[in-house]
Structure formats: structure tokens, C-alpha cells
Amino acid sequence: MKILQLGKFYPIRGGVEKVMYDLMSGLSARGVDCDMMCATTEGGSRIETLNDHASLICCDTMAKAAATMISPKMIYALRRVCHNYDIIHIHHPDPMACMALYFSGYDGRVILHWHSDIIKQKYLLKLYKPFQDWLLRRADIIVGTTPIYVKESPFLKHVQHKITSFPIGTDPWDMKKGKPNYVRESYKDKKIIFSLGRLVEYKGYEYLIDAALHLPDDYVILIGGTGPLRAKLQTQIDASNLNDKVKLLGFIEDKDLPFYYDACSLFCLSSVFKTEAFGIVQIEAMSCSKPVIATIIPGSGTYWVNAHNESGLNIEPGNSQELANAIINITSDEHTYDRYCRGARRRYEQHFTYNKMIDNCLNIYNRVLTQEGDSN
């Protein structure tokens, strides 16, 4: 079989494009021909050969609007090469990729990977919805990252007969055993609560910061990431006299992340809106045997990823007191804490390994290629 991953952009800046790239890498490592086509703002249009079975096809971007790359070159590029592929695996939401597929003339199999609904760009959705509806009809199979999200999405109610799901998978972080952990040394005698993500509204960091008001002084909250809310969040920390208990770390390079996962007592995903559809950081923490606190966002898959009372605790979003209580409940008793640590690693190994993701994806490809009948 020959596969094309289609959507989003390169270099990798978010979860959707990371999944695309990981699928291409994992499938090609098993000898499956799998390319990736995406828009790019760096380096212009080009083709990069990654190995004997994978190429990265980058299409120059004319502009960016409403978090969408405008790349007419993607339309022309896909028209030229689409007939070479048995399956186009398109990743949603990405209006540009959908437009490219619509105008490509491709008549082969289509897998639609539904990572999330379009939530924030409501005006864009009004313009895009006819194409989104076409894409839902065109897809042979629609894949979600959790069963909850695709079941609850209002856009997918009429296509449930096409729905399946498999979770995102990742390799565990290299914990750099034997190397001095500068994070742990910097916060001696502290229980470290770690969080990681863009400093934006849907992440709910204001509630995580407020939770520090309800925690004993031997706890410290470390928040990694950059974003437009940094100044506002720092003002909140200053006004609450929490500079000793909450630290905004800024951007953390990948090479340093294992030190934070290793040093922390648990990971917290404090998101409050459905924009948080999965939370890859949760499974990264679980791979390091770290318990997770996540929020029960209606329609989101975050609380499916984190199994309540097994890999961690799921709580009401936007509730700082409940968040603090959950942190204390997991970490205050050594026996309880060890149980959650074991449960986190067990859940990761059962559902979220990189190899399981590749296995699940291959099963979907084989299934769609053996389906009878023509494409829609």
C-alpha cells in the first residue's frame, strides 16, 4: 500500500502535525510507503526524502488566517501526485487540506482523522462547513483519538456508522538516569506539580495558580510554555504573593523535558474548554509513571485518556479548591501515591505506546482497502 498523510503544517508546532509525522515515521520504518504533504512557512516548496519509504512534501504558504495556512500550491501539488496513493489520510481540522483534496480529483480511499471540532473560528466554520460536510461524506472511515470525542461531536452524529477510534501513542521520554537532575536540585524538599502547554485561555492555568493558595508550603507548581497570557498570569501570581509556589518557566526544550517529568510528583492538565481534545502531555507523563490530574470537559476525550482512580483523578474544570484537593489526595500518602504511579504506567502501556498507534493505524488501512464498493 502507499499512503499520504495530508494536513496542517511543518515544522511541527502542535499535536496534530506531530501525529501525522509520527505516523509517517512509524509506518515507513515498517516498510510501508508513507509520505506527508503539508503547508510550510519556512524553506519554501520542496520535497525532503526521509528514508526509502517516506518523503515530506512541503508546499509554500501564501498567508495565514484564523490559524489556517493559505497554500494554493498544496492544491496543485496534490493534483499532480494524488493518483500515486492507495489511501489519503487527511487530518482535521485543516480547511486547506480539505480544499486541496476537494479539487484534486482523487478517487481512491480516504481516511478522515477527526482530531477535534472547529470551535473557536465560528465565522470561518460558516464558510467552510459545506466543504466539511463533503469531507464527511467522502471519507470511507472516520477515526477519532478517543471514543468519547467522536461520539459526542455534534458534527458527527449522522456518520456514526463510519466512526472508529484509536488513541495517540508516543515513545516514553528518556529519563536520563544517572545524570544530575537540576530540576529536583532546584526545588529540594518540594513536591513538584508540573504542567506544560501554551499559555492560552482554554488551558485554565488561572485555576491551577489559584490552587496553590490551598496547598501547603512544601508544594511548588511549575508551568512550562509560552503564550499570550504570560503577563496576565504573572500578574495573578504577583498579586496573590505566590512567587515562591508558582513558577512560569517559559519554553522548555525537548532535551530538558525528561528532567521535569522525572522530578515532578504529578502532572496537571487544568484545561477548561473542549479545545483540549486529547492532551498528549498526559500520556507523556504516564509513560514516566507520573499520575495525572485532568478535567472532565463535556465532549472532550481528556478524561478518557486519564482513567479516574487508576492513572490519576479527573475533576470539575475551573475548580481550584477541587484541584488542590486532588493534588493532596494523590501525593500525601505514600501507599496511595505508589498505586497511582503504577496505574499511570500500566495505562500508558495498555493504550498509548507508539507501536500500538502504528498497529492500530495499519489495521485501519487494511480494513479500508478490503472494503467492497467504490469510494463516495
Side-chain angles (χ1 to χ4, degrees), residues 10-269:
Y10 187 81
I12 296 169
R13 293 191 177 92
V16 176
E17 52 266 34
K18 182 180 186 303
V19 171
M20 291 175 59
Y21 192 90
D22 285 350
L23 288 174
M24 174 182 63
S25 300
L27 291 163
S28 62
R30 297 193 186 187
V32 176
D33 292 331
C34 184
D35 299 331
M36 173 175 162
M37 180 180 288
C38 53
T40 183
T41 56
E42 299 179 16
S45 296
R46 64 194 186 277
I47 298 177
E48 298 181 8
T49 300
L50 301 184
N51 56 51
D52 290 342
H53 297 282
S55 294
L56 180 65
I57 306 169
C58 293
C59 304
D60 194 26
T61 298
M62 182 175 69
K64 183 179 179 180
T68 299
M69 298 294 192
I70 310 301
S71 176
K73 291 186 177 181
M74 181 183 284
I75 296 175
Y76 299 121
L78 187 59
R79 282 185 66 88
R80 287 196 303 270
V81 303
C82 65
H83 62 277
N84 294 328
Y85 298 98
D86 301 303
I87 295 173
I88 290 182
H89 187 156
I90 184 170
H91 295 258
H92 175 93
D94 187 357
M96 189 67 245
C98 177
M99 297 287 285
L101 182 62
Y102 182 84
F103 289 110
S104 69
Y106 178 71
D107 61 0
R109 298 297 188 182
V110 172
I111 290 175
L112 171 57
H113 210 131
W114 194 274
H115 292 268
S116 69
D117 302 340
I118 294 177
I119 298 172
K120 188 176 180 181
Q121 291 85 14
K122 294 182 180 179
Y123 293 108
L124 173 64
L125 178 59
K126 288 182 180 180
L127 297 173
Y128 172 60
K129 193 172 184 303
F131 292 97
Q132 178 176 281
D133 291 342
W134 168 83
L135 185 57
L136 291 170
R137 294 191 304 269
R138 177 65 178 85
D140 294 278
I141 292 180
I142 300 167
V143 179
T145 55
T146 65
I148 289 176
Y149 201 100
V150 287
K151 181 180 179 181
E152 298 295 328
S153 170
F155 302 105
L156 303 179
K157 294 297 185 183
H158 64 293
V159 290
Q160 289 295 309
H161 62 285
K162 294 185 180 183
I163 297 290
T164 188
S165 67
F166 64 82
I168 297 168
T170 185
D171 279 330
W173 285 99
D174 176 5
M175 299 303 283
K176 299 184 181 297
K177 296 297 185 183
K179 293 186 177 182
N181 191 321
Y182 67 91
V183 178
R184 188 180 293 111
E185 290 299 311
S186 298
Y187 301 96
K188 287 183 177 179
D189 303 319
K190 296 283 188 179
K191 295 175 182 176
I192 298 172
I193 311 306
F194 184 44
S195 192
L196 179 68
R198 293 194 67 233
L199 306 184
V200 290
E201 186 179 6
Y202 77 84
K203 291 291 185 179
Y205 285 129
E206 66 268 34
Y207 303 105
L208 180 56
I209 292 169
D210 276 346
L213 294 168
H214 309 290
L215 293 174
D217 289 339
D218 60 340
Y219 287 80
V220 62
I221 296 172
L222 305 182
I223 302 173
T226 61
L229 293 186
R230 174 155 190 165
K232 181 179 179 180
L233 294 174
Q234 187 60 58
T235 298
Q236 179 186 352
I237 293 168
D238 295 340
S240 300
N241 294 316
L242 289 172
N243 285 284
D244 291 335
K245 294 178 72 174
V246 183
K247 307 289 184 182
L248 300 181
L249 305 174
F251 177 74
I252 303 175
E253 294 187 14
D254 282 354
K255 67 180 180 63
D256 292 320
L257 277 174
F259 292 111
Y260 287 91
Y261 281 119
D262 182 47
C264 75
S265 295
L266 61 79
F267 186 89
C268 185
L269 188 74

Side-chain angles (χ1 to χ4, degrees), residues 361-375:
C361 191
L362 275 172
N363 288 336
I364 295 294
Y365 291 162
N366 288 322
R367 172 180 161 188
V368 77
L369 287 175
T370 57
Q371 284 180 345
E372 296 182 0
D374 298 328
S375 298

